Amino acid sequence: MANGMASPTEQSGTMATAEEPGYLRSGQQDGLRGGLVRLRSGDMGSLPALIGLVVLVILFALLRPTFLTPLNFANFFTQAALVMILAMGLVFVLLLGEIDLSAGVTSGVAAAILAVLIQKQGVAWPIAVTAALASGIAIGLFIGMMVARIGVPSFVVTLALFLGLQGLVLVIIGEGGNIRITEPVILAIQNRNLPPLLGWVFYAIVVVGYLTAALLGRRQRLVRGFPATPLLTILAKAAVLALLGFGMVWVLNLERSINPAKNPLSGVPIIVPIIALLTIVFWFLLNRTAFGRHIYAVGGNVEAARRAGISISYVRIVCFCICSGTAAFAGLVYASRAASVDPNAGRFVVLSAVAAAVIGGTSLFGGRGRIQDALIGGAVVAVIDNGMGLLGYSAGTKLMITGGVLMLAASADALSRRRRLTGG
Amino acid sequence: MVTTTAGLGEHPPGGEEPAPFLSATGIVKSFGPVHVLRGVDFAIRPGTVTALVGDNGAGKTTLIKGLAGIQPFDAGRVQFEGREVHIDSPRAAAELGIEVVYQDLALCDNLDIVQNMFLGRELHRGVTLDEAAMEHRAGETLRGLSVRTVSSLRQQVAQLSGGQRQTVAIARAVLWNRKVVILDEPTAALGVAQTEQVLALVRELRSAGLGVVIISHNLQDVFAVADLIYVLYLGTMTACLPAAQTTPGEVVEYITGGRTAAQDA
């Protein structure tokens, strides 16, 4: 799912005569050489986050050996899932240069609706899930209308909703204060694992799927006599993906229970393929469709997008719907993990999610960012949380450190933007 | 309000020029009490570079915005290839084959050259974007304009120089087989070498048979490429001069109102 990351292009020779202008031969300027150019122009993408992630993992592994156990590895995914999913939705509004401060409480509303419908009204889970997701999309529609049609800054609209929706959660849940979730399907999202064999099937689908997509894309270019990504680059990337994935699935398929005799525990957590599927869908939307292209255009230069005939309002409204809809889905994940819904649901998580997207390399100024940023940044936030928890630090210290990292990432974002603007 | 002006519209200088793509007659536009265009005649011919000059506030931008469908005129006739037309929206202008390249270029810095050239008009293959086809056509268009200054079609526009950006904006305008391309101050922010690149591009457009309009304050650039020079003075077209038969000094007199059509005649 790399961003068509071609590299120094293959000399296909079909049109590489001496008098031809260079651009006809050069194809996509991504990959290594393009990456260096972007780095020099101050566009660091998710490189700092990846380096930070590796450093943090090494650091925590040295300080606390339990950090690298299969059990903690599996826990890491269930802990990171909420922030990652919320951050994926936020990428869509951040790309427009907007923000959604209400994403966290939107997931709270969805979780509350789900809990009340299933546990109190006895509604079947598919209907309850649909209602919960629909509530998220409705909230997104409202935000989008306020921002795009009336012109209220998204910061203000979503800050108002941040307060208002907390009230709504209280009203939905009622005086009781806490609803337990007992529906097995909902609980499975964050508490069940794929059988080991299915884990390998999932692994095979991802690797073969990636390879097929990359090779088909390459063929499509070669058929038209166009320079394309060298076969070796595609194979190398597929090999890295296959190797990392193999390690991951292998570790997750190990017995990781503290008491294997009583409660055997192994397999890829169900949330992992769910996140993978969400990532692929969103990646496709952003990189392979005209709508995704228009999101980047609106975030990059609204006036240019308008003159190109793009409906700015439509793009804005749909992006807010995607963000809030994804937040609602995160609400299901939250309800599953906590096995209950309380009035505080989703109140604090939104800033972690914004932090995750920005740490991953998505710009707060719009126009720059990728769906993968949400995963990488979410992993950083979750590793800090998990590792410091193992080291016995208090919640207060963890919050301060996460805040500091967000500040660092936002400063880097602002500095690189300044460098781009002055560097021309 | 219609004033007679020197050698306009129906009397093309040189005699046997082709019929105009676009001819506008008696154009009037007011903003409240301010009469910006007072019965202006204007024509754009195939294979001809027409310069539109005039001081600030003379009405150049208003005339162009009307032809681009952004601000429709109050009165006057516009004919395109002999047919009477009403250009009431940018879409209508585009359908006729009129494209305007504005001074701010309207490019997205975070997208690459191909993405900018096809923005809002992407080519598809099923539900997905047809990147190869777009890249191919963008490359052909740039090659057709003899552009040699960009190194990769997949370069982000943020990394381009001012002249290269202008090139991309112009290439985008001609990508869709446009007949008329209007360039608003194309050389205003450019250095000497980059200005020369853009002027070379303008000559390419002319030899491709397009009707090119160039709005500029820089008479040196105007004389370097223009075949015809139209001068607007306070909302009236005071002169239409063949570039070969006039001098910068004379044009300046018309621009500053030191000489008018009446005196000329």
Side-chain angles (χ1 to χ4, degrees), chain A residues 16-65:
Chain A
T17 54
E19 316 92 57
E20 291 289 351
Y23 52 80
L24 290 177
R25 270 176 282 121
S26 57
Q28 283 148 318
Q29 200 205 27
D30 274 319
L32 209 57
R33 218 172 25 177
L36 279 176
V37 173
R38 279 200 301 275
L39 270 186
R40 257 178 308 203
S41 69
D43 187 2
M44 307 218 272
S46 46
L47 191 66
L50 274 175
I51 294 171
L53 188 61
V54 172
V55 170
L56 282 172
V57 167
I58 293 172
L59 189 72
F60 287 132
L62 289 177
L63 291 174
R64 190 66 36 143

Side-chain angles (χ1 to χ4, degrees), chain B residues 163-241:
Chain B
Q164 289 172 328
R165 290 160 151 268
Q166 189 77 47
T167 302
V168 172
I170 294 173
R172 176 176 60 186
V174 300
L175 184 63
W176 303 93
N177 299 319
R178 294 297 181 232
K179 292 168 181 156
V180 170
V181 177
I182 301 172
L183 306 173
D184 187 7
E185 294 282 1
T187 56
L190 302 183
V192 176
Q194 296 186 347
T195 297
E196 198 38 59
Q197 282 171 25
V198 171
L199 295 182
L201 197 53
V202 170
R203 294 189 192 102
E204 283 292 336
L205 298 181
R206 171 173 57 197
S207 42
L210 276 79
V212 185
V213 178
I214 158 167
I215 302 170
S216 182
H217 276 114
N218 187 328
L219 288 185
Q220 200 186 337
D221 294 350
V222 166
F223 273 88
V225 290
D227 303 304
L228 274 177
I229 302 173
Y230 279 81
V231 186
L232 263 175
Y233 177 70
L234 297 179
T236 344
M237 200 65 90
T238 50
C240 168
L241 311 159

Side-chain angles (χ1 to χ4, degrees), chain A residues 19 23 224 288 293 367, chain B residues 107 110 125 129 131 147-148:
Chain A
E19 316 92 57
Y23 52 80
R224 305 190 185 204
R288 288 285 177 267
R293 180 74 34 91
Chain B
L107 297 172
N110 58 334
R125 194 187 169 95
L129 295 170
E131 296 287 353
V147 173
R148 291 177 181 280

Side-chain angles (χ1 to χ4, degrees), chain A residues 15 19-24 26-30 34 37-38 41 43 220-221 224 226-227 284 287-290 293-305 307-310 366-368 420-421 424, chain B residues 91 102 104-111 115-116 119-122 124-125 127-140 142-144 146-156 158-160 172:
Chain A
M15 47 173 84
E19 316 92 57
E20 291 289 351
Y23 52 80
L24 290 177
S26 57
Q28 283 148 318
Q29 200 205 27
D30 274 319
V37 173
R38 279 200 301 275
S41 69
D43 187 2
Q220 201 187 341
R221 290 180 68 87
R224 305 190 185 204
F226 249 63
F284 184 85
N287 294 284
R288 288 285 177 267
T289 68
R293 180 74 34 91
H294 296 170
I295 295 176
Y296 283 95
V298 172
N301 185 344
V302 177
E303 194 47 40
R307 291 216 202 123
I310 296 168
R368 279 164 209 277
R420 272 199 306 273
L421 291 181
Chain B
R91 185 172 292 272
Y102 293 94
D104 64 6
L105 301 184
L107 297 172
C108 290
D109 271 358
N110 58 334
L111 299 181
Q115 291 170 343
N116 266 293
L119 189 61
R121 303 178 268 201
E122 292 84 0
H124 290 85
R125 194 187 169 95
V127 287
T128 61
L129 295 170
D130 193 343
E131 296 287 353
M134 288 192 274
E135 196 171 322
H136 181 69
R137 230 174 114 182
E140 289 299 309
L142 286 175
R143 188 161 61 171
S146 307
V147 173
R148 291 177 181 280
T149 48
V150 297
S151 62
S152 167
L153 291 172
R154 291 296 179 181
Q155 243 177 322
Q156 276 196 355
Q159 298 165 5
L160 300 182
R172 176 176 60 186

Side-chain angles (χ1 to χ4, degrees), chain A residues 105 108-117 120-121 162-179 341-345 347:
Chain A
V105 287
V109 170
I113 289 176
L114 179 88
V116 167
L117 285 181
K120 290 201 169 161
Q121 315 282 335
F162 176 71
L163 296 175
L165 292 180
Q166 283 181 43
L168 185 62
V169 174
L170 274 174
V171 171
I172 295 172
I173 293 184
E175 293 301 308
N178 195 329
I179 304 174
V341 178
D342 64 77
N344 282 328
R347 192 182 289 184

